[in-house]
Amino acid sequence: MRLPTPRRGRSRLGPRTVRGRSAAAAALAMALVLAGGGGWLYVILRANLLDNANGRTELAAREVAARADAGPLPSLLPAPRSGVDVVLVLDPRGKVVATSRPSAEPLARAFADLRPQPGQDAASKVLCCSRAMGGERGDVVVVRATPVPGEERYVYALTVLNDVDDATHAIALGLLGGAPPLIALAAAIAWAVTGLALRPVTAIRTELAAVSASELGRRVPDPAGGDEVAALARTVNATLDRLEQAVARQRQFVADASHELRNPVAAVRSQLEVALAAAARPDHRADFPEGRGPDRAADCPASGAVACPTGKAVRAALADTVRLQHVAADLLLLARLDARLPTGTGEPVDLALLAAEEAARRPVTRVPLTVTATAPTPMRGRTGQLERLLANLVDNALRHASSRVEVSAFLDGAAGQAVLEVADDGPGIAADQRERVFERFVRLDAARDRESGGSGLGLAIAREIAHAHGGSLVVAAGGGGARLVARFPLPDGPPGQQPGKRPERRPGAL
């Protein structure tokens, strides 16, 4: 059989630890932030610098255009201000009319093709790598001037963008140079913070690894606070508590089962050994007629020097064997109920009918057994298990009742439940013992007489059956004796009975 190949893609593609992955994620996030933020800052700053340069250039051109509209211009214009490098004026044919720099013919030829569109008085353009500009980039703005007497003039202003390029270049270098340290710092912070956050997890893992079958009392450290790690620690401790309780119950169950099974087996063994020893005595055999042995009680002589214990011993051994069989059957049923195997919705069951049938199976009881049920009490479940639940409750009540036992079945419409009650007028159950009686192998009899006190599994089995049907079984308060109440959910709501109305007590009524 081929075993699945372990996946190793994660170890190859990235860090294997949470700490490493957190640091890598922080570094990646910082890199993305710097790339996006740095790119946005670069573009915005460059556009702002270009807008400022263009505004200064256009202002210089309009100042000269206003002078041209007012009258003739000198051939040599004064140097422009606000960082503008050159201003020159051309006629419609491209001839230089005025300039702030001598020998401006190369610039005039480079600027001649830039004119305002019809209906506009200005235009701008960024020229790059022109020989007339010495291979540098520059922002050129042209403004149309219309003197009153004369033809149109075109005023050009040029600002070399060396300052803008130097500033944006410095910003780009700063972003590129500062990104690696910032990315490394983000990764280091994430590494350190994740390590601090995972320190309690490491302590939890270490302590949890030390929990074993012999040290179930160990608990993981609970860090202060209400974060996810603290919630994890509390959940782990709660799980360990349940595990310890389950193991303790299992160990107690094994010990009790061993104790319960040991006594009947020892009794059977001793009774059989006594019977065999008595049957093997010569004087014992001589007391019987020839050819007849002490196999039956009738074979024992009415008188003789030696008594005939064989029949009594065998009957006692049989009784202990039956008891042992019942204990083993109860243990098997509890094991099946503990497995919580799905049983579906079950079959229609009438609790009132079950109560009547249980009373009919007990025609003679130590105390009177009364069934009270004025209407059917339908539900869905497993008939055999519900019969066992009722039989265990009735057995318990008959064992402790002083003068009567009453079984009631009715519907609680308000709660949407079918109710089965078994009450007696015995000594009752103390309030602090009402949950303990449902534990396995628990007897509240002072003498713990196993002949009269039962095996201690009946109520435990009854409660497990109630839970398996989605219901409950409790010892209710009030009354002169014990009152055990089993409640089961109705599949489709209460059929026709007034909510919460309990039937009137009528002995033997169904």
Side-chain angles (χ1 to χ4, degrees):
M1 182 177 65
R2 297 181 59 187
L3 297 177
T5 304
R7 299 176 61 183
R8 299 180 179 177
R10 178 172 292 181
S11 61
R12 293 180 180 178
L13 296 178
R16 300 178 58 183
T17 64
V18 175
R19 199 175 186 183
R21 289 196 292 269
S22 299
L28 179 60
M30 179 59 74
L32 293 177
V33 169
L34 290 176
W40 175 82
L41 178 62
Y42 179 86
V43 171
I44 292 299
L45 184 58
R46 181 177 178 83
N48 188 37
L49 293 175
L50 288 175
D51 288 342
N52 291 336
N54 184 265
R56 294 194 305 268
T57 306
E58 184 177 355
L59 179 60
R62 289 191 179 278
E63 289 179 351
V64 175
R67 293 175 59 187
D69 291 338
L73 295 173
S75 59
L76 184 62
L77 298 174
R81 55 184 178 175
S82 302
V84 179
D85 294 285
V86 180
V87 175
L88 65 147
V89 182
L90 302 180
D91 60 13
R93 295 175 296 277
K95 181 178 179 181
V96 177
V97 176
T99 179
S100 62
R101 177 188 296 181
S103 303
E105 286 76 8
L107 290 176
R109 290 191 294 270
F111 298 163
D113 295 334
L114 180 61
R115 299 290 173 88
Q117 295 294 329
Q120 298 179 356
D121 64 342
S124 63
K125 184 178 182 181
V126 176
L127 299 179
C128 177
C129 307
S130 174
R131 293 181 61 184
M133 298 169 52
E136 296 178 345
R137 296 172 63 252
D139 183 41
V140 180
V141 176
V142 57
V143 176
R144 180 186 291 111
T146 308
V148 176
E151 58 184 353
E152 292 182 344
R153 299 287 187 267
Y154 296 97
V155 181
Y156 294 86
L158 169 66
T159 300
V160 179
L161 299 177
N162 288 341
D163 294 339
V164 175
D165 293 338
D166 291 343
T168 54
H169 184 68
I171 292 173
L173 290 180
L175 292 175
L176 293 176
L182 291 176
I183 293 174
L185 178 61
I189 292 175
W191 178 274
V193 171
T194 306
L196 292 176
L198 293 179
R199 185 176 297 173
V201 177
T202 303
I204 292 173
R205 179 182 58 82
T206 303
E207 190 66 22
L208 190 59
V211 176
S212 62
S214 60
E215 296 184 4
L216 287 175
R218 303 187 66 155
R219 295 294 180 268
V220 301
D222 186 358
D227 57 2
E228 291 80 359
V229 177
L232 172 64
R234 298 186 187 102
T235 302
V236 170
N237 283 334
T239 303
L240 291 177
D241 289 338
R242 293 192 297 269
L243 178 61
E244 184 180 16
Q245 293 172 4
V247 172
R249 288 194 301 267
Q250 185 69 19
R251 289 174 177 172
Q252 185 63 36
F253 178 76
V254 172
D256 292 339
S258 300
H259 180 72
E260 294 294 331
L261 294 176
R262 181 181 60 186
N263 291 341
V265 170
V268 170
R269 179 178 177 180
S270 63
Q271 296 287 350
L272 294 177
E273 287 176 349
V274 170
L276 291 176
R281 290 202 310 268
D283 54 350
H284 181 267
R285 292 173 182 163
D287 293 336
F288 296 91
E290 183 178 355
R292 302 182 67 183
D295 301 6
R296 297 169 297 173
D299 291 333
C300 293
S303 63
V306 180
C308 180
T310 306
K312 181 179 180 181
V314 171
R315 285 193 294 273
L318 178 59
D320 287 335
T321 302
V322 171
R323 176 180 173 79
L324 178 62
Q325 183 181 17
H326 289 168
V327 172
D330 288 346
L331 292 176
L332 179 60
L333 178 57
L334 279 173
R336 290 175 177 173
L337 292 173
D338 286 340
R340 291 287 193 270
L341 298 177
T343 58
T345 58
E347 57 196 14
V349 180
D350 185 358
L351 294 182
L353 182 59
L354 287 186
E357 292 175 349
E358 181 65 25
R361 282 193 291 267
R362 302 172 186 262
V364 179
T365 56
R366 186 179 63 85
V367 297
L369 175 61
T370 303
V371 175
T372 303
T374 59
T377 308
M379 60 168 290
R380 298 191 69 88
R382 299 175 67 85
T383 304
Q385 292 186 2
L386 293 172
E387 288 177 348
R388 180 61 183 275
L389 178 148
L390 179 58
N392 287 1
L393 296 183
V394 173
D395 287 340
N396 179 78
L398 290 173
R399 187 179 299 117
H400 298 92
S402 298
S403 61
R404 63 178 177 84
V405 172
E406 180 181 355
V407 179
S408 303
F410 59 94
L411 293 176
D412 185 352
Q417 294 175 332
V419 183
L420 182 65
E421 290 188 3
V422 178
D424 63 72
D425 59 350
I429 302 174
D432 58 344
Q433 300 291 329
R434 289 175 182 170
E435 282 299 319
R436 186 169 175 266
V437 293
F438 295 107
E439 297 179 6
R440 300 172 185 183
F441 296 111
V442 169
R443 303 180 187 86
L444 300 184
D445 307 78
R448 291 183 59 85
D449 184 2
R450 287 175 173 78
E451 295 299 328
S452 62
S455 65
L457 293 175
L459 294 183
I461 291 175
R463 172 169 274 192
E464 291 296 334
I465 292 175
H467 289 172
H469 286 76
S472 63
L473 176 61
V474 297
V475 179
R483 186 162 63 96
L484 284 85
V485 181
R487 292 179 173 270
F488 305 95
L490 297 178
D492 300 316
Q497 183 174 339
Q498 294 182 10
K501 183 178 180 180
R502 192 171 169 179
E504 298 294 334
R505 181 182 182 275
R506 293 192 302 173
L510 292 178

